Amino acid sequence: MFELTQDHEEFRQLVREFATGEIAPHVDKWDADAHFPTDLVPKMGELGLFGLNAPEEFGGAGTEHGGFTYTCLAIEELGRIDQSIGITLSAGVGLGINPILSFGTQEQKERYLPDLLAGKALAGFGLTEPDAGSDAAASKTKAVLDDGDWVINGSKAFITNSGTDITSVVTVTARTGQTADGKPEISAIMVPAGTDGFEVEPAYRKLGWHISDTHGLTFADCRVPEDHLLGERGEGFKQFLKTLDDGRIAISALAVGCAQRMLEECTAYSQERTAFGRPIAVNQGVSFQISDLAVMVEAARLLTYKAAWLKDEQEAGRRSVAEVKQAAAVAKLYSTEAAVTSTRIATQVFGGNGFMEEYPVARFYRDSKILEIGEGTSEVQRMVIARGLGLPAR
Amino acid sequence: MNIVVCVKYVPDAQGDRAFEADHTTDREAVDGLLSELDEYAVEEALKIVEAGEGEVTVLTMGPEDAATAVKKSLQMGADKGVHVLDDAIAGSDSVATSLILAEAIRKIGDVDLVLTGLASTDGVMSVVPAMLAERLGMPQVTFASELTVEDGSVTIRRDNEAFSETVEASLPAVVSVTDQINEPRYPSFKGIMAAKKKPVETWGLADLGVDVAHVGLGASWTMVTDTQARPPREAGQVVTDEGQGGEALAQFLADRRLA
């Protein structure tokens, strides 16, 4: 059965020290200014956070086994201090690095991975479009071959890490033709930052995740050489599906970081804050909510790391993809809903102060909602789980 | 360039301190860690060796958990560790500490430079580097906020309130560094994994030829006779600015000799 080892715990401690020292002191200001801290990324790289799952050849850790569990621990611990920084790592690894690592040619890997793994650069992955989210097959962005170049036209929405000062490349999915049975052929194409015709729109105004870099992208006769195709032509959608399970487990880890922090905040505050001459924690109306929160944190953590362990075991050929898919959906559904509940409980325990930006629970309240949406909504997770149970699909 | 860095395992300054009946720190009551001020010495040693060649050995003495301080230093990048562990050490004052560390450094042998932090964050005596230098017959150069090593000598900058001194000493030497000298690195994932394979030796007093009669609480020249918790902070003084705010602030600082 799975367990977190001494090595895992030491690594957790390292990330916790880093997050406490390098992120916590600045996070209020970054959040208020919607500032993406570019300088923090190489520091995360020096710790090795972007390469926990990658081979040494390109500067990764060369972890023989269990690399994904380490990544989840890092996301949880960063997310415990700030959710935006957690998603920056999650997307940087899961959407930026992993597709290149899994499907790139040797030349593509050598060109991009060393800087990405060192945190000197970030990469994005563009699948979602203004009118195509979970129904990715409805994508409208097109790419046609013309004189040895792909010419891309269309737009992408909500693309993380796509517009930072150090973004080196964004991989986008596009229709490149039709399959024999009349379905759209979707391929993934790498577009280096700064390519003519590739425009990064101004950052979104978001409810939360203010520190995270998110943009819409537009492509107008954007030309890249034919060899910028990532993996096989027509495999773009399949490739994306392979990243989905990892992404869901990673978001689940981010949610654990949120709920864990809310538990800590509530536990401390309810003993410091007095009302009617006693700490508010003596009221069971308060303490029982915190007890429930502790149960949710424990359950969410177990589901998350069970799924991460299954993923690592699947990589080693000992577990099936179907098992991972189900575990990922279960963990993501439970943990993210627990995280949202945790911020609701925390803001309630904090009373009026919970509504004030002076206290961290307000930021977590704003940041948590997206957890139930990104990488597949809660509803999509329930669909996946139902399918996994063998229930008939619509 | 072979460097020995003396590091101390101290109670976490964030935690509540508790004391035994003999006024020594209750080590069980609070989590410990590598003294933050010693991280600067480890970092400086790593920078020197990375820019040239040689080996960094971290040396600590203290209870079993003090191995944590060695481990953290190895995770940062030091090459090997030495932990002097002996029940008789408990309660040693700075004089006894310097005796044990000096003998350990002799046993390590072939040392070009001994680095320490500027003080421990628990005892805050700042005297061990000088005592070590005396015992080892090496020059002592303390409170370095900049350090360069070349051609058999070490040069440091020592900042005082009014001026900065440049001090040079021949090697081998004992140098203590301040928290201004560098920005200690965090260990990396690879550092954590590599540290598990690095050699750590544990020596007792007998290995060092130190007579137990010369160390520990009983042999110490100084003794803590009382410990008291710091009184709670008093409420601050509120000055309402009615045109004289600046003056009142200046007066406040002047009264405390802060300006």
Side-chain angles (χ1 to χ4, degrees):
Chain A
M1 206 41 196
F2 77 101
E3 62 170 353
L4 293 180
T5 62
Q6 173 88 11
D7 289 349
H8 287 126
E9 289 305 330
E10 275 175 25
F11 175 68
R12 175 198 292 284
Q13 194 54 40
L14 159 68
V15 183
R16 183 167 287 204
E17 274 174 38
F18 174 80
T20 306
E22 302 294 318
I23 301 171
H26 313 293
V27 85
D28 275 344
K29 179 155 173 53
W30 291 345
D31 180 73
D33 298 348
H35 169 72
F36 179 80
T38 312
D39 296 346
L40 183 71
V41 181
K43 290 184 188 174
M44 289 160 62
E46 277 169 30
L47 255 66
L49 302 189
F50 289 99
L52 296 165
N53 218 8
E56 278 184 307
E57 183 187 357
F58 306 110
T63 322
E64 279 171 18
H65 181 56
F68 186 63
T69 299
Y70 283 110
T71 304
C72 288
L73 281 165
I75 293 167
E76 179 195 334
E77 286 300 326
L78 295 179
R80 176 179 163 271
I81 299 297
D82 182 68
Q83 292 277 294
S84 297
I85 305 295
I87 192 59
T88 300
L89 176 66
S90 175
V93 174
L95 299 172
I97 291 167
N98 284 352
I100 300 175
L101 196 56
S102 304
F103 310 114
T105 61
Q106 186 68 12
E107 195 271 329
Q108 287 167 337
K109 290 180 189 176
E110 281 169 8
R111 190 188 318 168
Y112 291 109
L113 288 180
D115 279 355
L116 292 173
L117 294 174
K120 291 177 185 162
L122 284 167
F125 193 96
L127 173 86
T128 303
E129 298 189 0
D131 295 312
S134 294
D135 55 342
S139 299
K140 292 199 184 84
T141 299
K142 266 189 189 163
V144 292
L145 264 181
D146 175 62
D147 198 16
D149 286 340
W150 288 108
V151 181
I152 308 167
N153 280 287
S155 57
K156 296 288 173 181
F158 313 140
I159 310 306
T160 306
N161 293 342
S162 62
T164 73
D165 291 343
I166 55 171
T167 299
S168 59
V169 64
V170 179
T171 304
V172 294
T173 52
R175 288 170 177 247
T176 47
Q178 267 194 350
T179 59
D181 54 1
K183 287 184 180 162
E185 175 194 88
I186 308 250
S187 306
I189 299 170
M190 303 174 75
V191 184
T195 304
D196 282 344
F198 166 28
E199 195 190 330
V200 179
E201 289 165 13
Y204 291 103
R205 291 179 61 217
K206 294 171 288 192
L207 170 65
W209 282 8
H210 289 168
I211 298 173
S212 158
D213 178 83
T214 328
H215 300 270
L217 309 176
T218 54
F219 299 88
D221 290 333
C222 174
R223 301 181 83 96
V224 296
E226 189 175 357
D227 67 4
H228 281 42
L229 185 72
L230 180 65
E232 299 292 314
R233 180 169 177 167
E235 296 288 302
F237 193 55
K238 225 186 265 177
Q239 289 166 9
F240 175 72
L241 288 179
K242 283 188 184 161
T243 70
L244 262 186
D245 296 332
D246 297 26
R248 285 172 182 163
I249 303 168
I251 295 294
S252 187
L254 188 57
V256 173
C258 172
Q260 168 68 34
R261 177 67 178 279
M262 293 304 96
L263 174 60
E264 292 169 28
E265 293 290 334
C266 288
T267 305
Y269 187 82
S270 64
Q271 296 175 77
E272 286 160 14
R273 172 76 185 185
T274 56
F276 305 104
R278 296 177 306 178
I280 58 171
V282 303
N283 303 304
Q284 291 180 336
V286 172
S287 66
F288 281 13
Q289 291 196 73
I290 302 176
S291 301
D292 289 345
L293 188 43
V295 175
M296 284 186 264
V297 169
E298 192 71 18
R301 179 170 283 124
L302 286 172
L303 290 174
T304 301
Y305 288 100
K306 164 93 179 290
W309 171 77
L310 280 171
K311 174 68 198 176
D312 280 326
E313 288 292 295
Q314 182 226 319
E315 289 288 322
R318 290 191 284 265
R319 293 285 178 155
S320 72
V321 172
E323 268 180 293
V324 176
K325 182 173 288 303
Q326 190 75 349
V330 167
K332 203 259 176 189
L333 174 62
Y334 180 81
S335 304
T336 60
E337 294 197 340
V340 172
T341 304
S342 78
T343 62
R344 186 179 52 70
I345 291 175
T347 43
Q348 197 68 17
V349 167
F350 272 64
N353 285 336
F355 201 61
M356 298 296 122
E357 293 287 356
E358 255 179 277
Y359 294 83
V361 297
R363 173 165 48 87
F364 278 87
Y365 186 86
R366 289 188 282 103
D367 284 347
S368 64
K369 182 60 208 173
I370 186 64
L371 294 168
E372 291 180 327
I373 300 169
E375 297 280 345
T377 59
S378 288
E379 292 71 25
V380 165
Q381 307 309 322
R382 289 183 168 92
M383 279 165 52
V384 172
I385 295 165
R387 244 177 253 161
L389 293 170
L391 300 179
R394 198 149 58 91
Chain B
M1 169 83 39
N2 289 329
I3 305 175
V4 172
V5 186
C6 299
V7 299
K8 188 172 180 185
Y9 174 76
V10 298
D12 189 345
Q14 312 285 334
D16 290 329
R17 293 276 289 280
F19 296 92
E20 308 269 13
D22 61 7
H23 303 294
T24 58
T25 301
D26 182 353
R27 297 274 193 167
E28 302 289 313
V30 57
D31 286 340
L33 42 71
L34 168 64
S35 174
E36 282 170 21
L37 289 172
D38 295 343
E39 288 185 12
Y40 297 90
V42 174
E43 175 67 31
E44 198 61 21
L46 295 175
K47 282 169 73 175
I48 294 168
V49 166
E50 281 165 1
E53 53 182 25
E55 225 177 29
V56 177
T57 306
V58 284
L59 166 64
T60 197
M61 56 174 263
E64 230 159 270
D65 288 347
T68 312
V70 172
K71 189 165 163 187
K72 174 81 180 279
S73 309
L74 297 177
Q75 290 175 342
M76 286 173 73
D79 300 288
K80 54 186 191 179
V82 173
H83 179 189
V84 183
L85 173 67
D86 200 307
D87 288 344
I89 290 173
S92 293
D93 67 357
S94 45
V95 178
T97 297
S98 67
L99 171 66
I100 298 165
L101 292 179
E103 290 308 323
I105 291 167
R106 280 207 184 92
K107 188 170 159 73
I108 292 167
D110 190 22
V111 174
D112 301 301
L113 182 63
V114 177
L115 288 181
T116 74
L118 73 91
S120 62
T121 55
D122 57 349
V124 210
M125 300 276 287
S126 270
V127 295
V128 167
M131 293 176 175
L132 257 184
E134 179 65 21
R135 290 188 187 275
L136 292 168
M138 294 181 188
Q140 56 144 325
V141 218
T142 50
F143 302 117
S145 51
E146 204 178 275
L147 185 160
T148 47
V149 179
E150 53 185 9
D151 298 337
S153 70
V154 56
T155 307
I156 67 141
R157 195 187 76 225
R158 176 167 33 200
D159 296 328
N160 289 302
E161 271 175 38
F163 57 89
S164 292
E165 297 169 308
T166 303
V167 184
E168 190 183 316
S170 59
L171 294 176
V174 178
V175 180
S176 72
V177 305
T178 71
D179 56 356
Q180 300 302 307
I181 196 164
N182 56 42
E183 194 58 52
R185 69 193 68 183
Y186 291 91
S188 67
F189 177 77
K190 281 185 183 175
I192 289 182
M193 292 304 151
K196 297 196 296 178
K197 298 185 186 117
K198 291 177 179 173
V200 178
E201 293 199 40
T202 306
W203 296 338
L205 291 175
D207 297 317
L208 301 178
V210 172
D211 187 344
V212 293
H214 294 147
V215 301
L217 193 59
S220 287
W221 293 21
T222 57
M223 197 172 136
V224 178
T225 55
D226 190 22
T227 47
Q228 281 180 14
R230 189 197 297 227
R233 282 176 63 175
E234 289 170 21
Q237 179 188 339
V238 178
V239 176
T240 310
D241 186 10
E242 288 162 348
Q244 87 312 350
E247 219 169 279
L249 182 60
Q251 191 59 47
F252 177 88
L253 293 172
D255 287 349
R256 282 158 185 77
R257 294 171 181 246
L258 294 170

